[in-house]
Amino acid sequence: MPPDFSLFFPLLLVLSSSGVFGLCPWELPGLQPWSASDTWDGSPPQDGDTVLVTKPILLDTQTPRIKLLDIRDGGMIVFSPADEVKLTVGIVQLIHNGSLL
């Protein structure tokens, strides 16, 4: 007699619709685009800058040459799969729950 999988299939639907599998990093709520001026309270970083990131940022462009990228205190940089991106950095410093995804 073959096994009865009638309960197994609905369980999979419930798990996948409830978000158990999680979001892709670029789908996280609250990501602010690197290219937007208001992400940086003025203008995006320029060539040779030291950059401090303490919030979630979506890298959606090619950056200038950053001298030091300091990601800390829950800050994160997430690479966008929808855009051609390039991060050019001399030194990357990840401390206190900073992340580069």
Side-chain angles (χ1 to χ4, degrees):
M1 181 169 178
D4 181 13
F5 290 108
S6 59
L7 292 177
F8 184 72
F9 185 70
L11 179 61
L12 284 178
L13 289 177
V14 170
L15 288 176
S16 65
S17 66
S18 68
V20 169
F21 297 109
L23 296 172
C24 294
W26 56 87
E27 295 174 331
L28 291 171
L31 284 173
Q32 298 178 345
W34 180 288
S35 61
S37 313
D38 55 341
T39 299
W40 305 104
D41 299 323
S43 64
Q46 302 298 312
D47 213 26
D49 281 355
T50 293
V51 178
L52 174 62
V53 174
T54 58
K55 58 188 169 187
I57 295 179
L58 180 68
L59 185 61
D60 62 339
T61 188
Q62 295 185 17
T63 68
R65 293 176 191 267
I66 304 296
K67 180 179 179 180
L68 169 67
L69 180 60
D70 184 354
I71 307 171
R72 62 173 65 208
D73 301 327
M76 71 172 64
I77 302 269
V78 177
F79 288 77
S80 170
D83 300 293
E84 189 172 322
V85 299
K86 181 178 179 183
L87 179 62
T88 307
V89 178
I91 299 169
V92 176
Q93 184 169 283
L94 300 168
I95 56 174
H96 302 156
N97 295 323
S99 54
L100 187 59
L101 306 171

